[in-house]
Short mmCIF file of all heavy atoms in Angstrom, two decimals:
data_model
loop_
_atom_site.label_atom_id
_atom_site.label_comp_id
_atom_site.label_asym_id
_atom_site.label_seq_id
_atom_site.Cartn_x
_atom_site.Cartn_y
_atom_site.Cartn_z
N LYS A 112 -30.44 -87.88 46.26
CA LYS A 112 -31.33 -87.11 47.16
C LYS A 112 -31.34 -87.82 48.49
O LYS A 112 -31.22 -89.06 48.60
CB LYS A 112 -32.77 -87.07 46.59
CG LYS A 112 -32.93 -86.19 45.39
CD LYS A 112 -34.40 -86.09 45.02
CE LYS A 112 -34.57 -85.18 43.84
NZ LYS A 112 -36.00 -85.00 43.51
N TYR A 113 -31.49 -87.05 49.56
CA TYR A 113 -31.53 -87.56 50.91
C TYR A 113 -32.80 -87.11 51.56
O TYR A 113 -33.24 -85.94 51.38
CB TYR A 113 -30.34 -86.99 51.71
CG TYR A 113 -29.02 -87.35 51.09
CD1 TYR A 113 -28.45 -86.49 50.11
CD2 TYR A 113 -28.35 -88.48 51.44
CE1 TYR A 113 -27.26 -86.83 49.50
CE2 TYR A 113 -27.13 -88.81 50.86
CZ TYR A 113 -26.59 -87.98 49.87
OH TYR A 113 -25.42 -88.30 49.29
N TYR A 114 -33.48 -87.99 52.26
CA TYR A 114 -34.74 -87.71 52.91
C TYR A 114 -34.60 -88.09 54.39
O TYR A 114 -34.00 -89.07 54.75
CB TYR A 114 -35.89 -88.53 52.32
CG TYR A 114 -36.13 -88.28 50.85
CD1 TYR A 114 -35.45 -89.02 49.88
CD2 TYR A 114 -37.02 -87.30 50.45
CE1 TYR A 114 -35.67 -88.77 48.53
CE2 TYR A 114 -37.20 -87.05 49.09
CZ TYR A 114 -36.55 -87.76 48.17
OH TYR A 114 -36.73 -87.54 46.82
N LYS A 115 -35.23 -87.28 55.25
CA LYS A 115 -35.30 -87.62 56.67
C LYS A 115 -36.58 -87.11 57.26
O LYS A 115 -37.20 -86.17 56.74
CB LYS A 115 -34.08 -87.08 57.43
CG LYS A 115 -34.02 -85.57 57.54
CD LYS A 115 -32.75 -85.20 58.33
CE LYS A 115 -32.61 -83.70 58.45
NZ LYS A 115 -31.43 -83.34 59.26
N LEU A 116 -37.00 -87.72 58.37
CA LEU A 116 -38.22 -87.32 59.07
C LEU A 116 -37.80 -86.56 60.34
O LEU A 116 -37.00 -87.07 61.12
CB LEU A 116 -39.00 -88.57 59.50
CG LEU A 116 -39.43 -89.50 58.37
CD1 LEU A 116 -40.05 -90.75 58.95
CD2 LEU A 116 -40.44 -88.80 57.48
N VAL A 117 -38.34 -85.34 60.47
CA VAL A 117 -38.05 -84.53 61.65
C VAL A 117 -39.36 -83.86 62.10
O VAL A 117 -39.83 -82.96 61.45
CB VAL A 117 -36.96 -83.46 61.36
CG1 VAL A 117 -36.66 -82.65 62.61
CG2 VAL A 117 -35.70 -84.09 60.82
N GLY A 118 -39.89 -84.30 63.23
CA GLY A 118 -41.04 -83.62 63.79
C GLY A 118 -42.35 -84.01 63.17
O GLY A 118 -42.41 -84.73 62.18
N ASP A 119 -43.41 -83.51 63.78
CA ASP A 119 -44.79 -83.76 63.32
C ASP A 119 -45.50 -82.50 63.02
O ASP A 119 -45.10 -81.40 63.41
CB ASP A 119 -45.57 -84.48 64.48
CG ASP A 119 -44.99 -85.84 64.85
OD1 ASP A 119 -44.48 -86.54 63.93
OD2 ASP A 119 -45.09 -86.21 66.02
N SER A 120 -46.60 -82.65 62.29
CA SER A 120 -47.50 -81.55 61.96
C SER A 120 -48.93 -82.08 62.00
O SER A 120 -49.16 -83.19 61.56
CB SER A 120 -47.19 -80.96 60.57
OG SER A 120 -47.93 -79.85 60.33
N ILE A 121 -49.84 -81.29 62.55
CA ILE A 121 -51.24 -81.73 62.59
C ILE A 121 -52.03 -80.97 61.54
O ILE A 121 -51.99 -79.76 61.48
CB ILE A 121 -51.83 -81.51 63.98
CG1 ILE A 121 -51.12 -82.37 65.02
CG2 ILE A 121 -53.33 -81.83 64.00
CD1 ILE A 121 -51.47 -82.08 66.45
N VAL A 122 -52.74 -81.73 60.72
CA VAL A 122 -53.63 -81.16 59.67
C VAL A 122 -54.97 -81.81 59.92
O VAL A 122 -55.11 -83.02 59.81
CB VAL A 122 -53.11 -81.44 58.26
CG1 VAL A 122 -54.07 -80.85 57.24
CG2 VAL A 122 -51.71 -80.92 58.04
N GLY A 123 -55.97 -80.96 60.24
CA GLY A 123 -57.28 -81.50 60.61
C GLY A 123 -57.09 -82.25 61.93
O GLY A 123 -56.54 -81.76 62.86
N ASN A 124 -57.50 -83.51 61.93
CA ASN A 124 -57.31 -84.35 63.15
C ASN A 124 -56.17 -85.32 63.00
O ASN A 124 -55.97 -86.18 63.86
CB ASN A 124 -58.58 -85.17 63.37
CG ASN A 124 -59.81 -84.31 63.56
OD1 ASN A 124 -59.71 -83.10 63.54
ND2 ASN A 124 -60.93 -84.93 63.72
N ARG A 125 -55.41 -85.22 61.92
CA ARG A 125 -54.39 -86.22 61.62
C ARG A 125 -52.99 -85.70 61.90
O ARG A 125 -52.67 -84.57 61.59
CB ARG A 125 -54.49 -86.68 60.19
CG ARG A 125 -55.82 -87.41 59.94
CD ARG A 125 -55.81 -88.05 58.61
NE ARG A 125 -56.99 -88.88 58.50
CZ ARG A 125 -57.81 -88.87 57.49
NH1 ARG A 125 -57.57 -88.05 56.44
NH2 ARG A 125 -58.87 -89.68 57.44
#
Side-chain angles (χ1 to χ4, degrees):
K112 288 186 178 183
Y113 303 86
Y114 300 89
K115 67 180 179 178
L116 302 172
V117 180
D119 297 327
S120 184
I121 297 174
V122 179
N124 301 357
R125 296 189 170 132

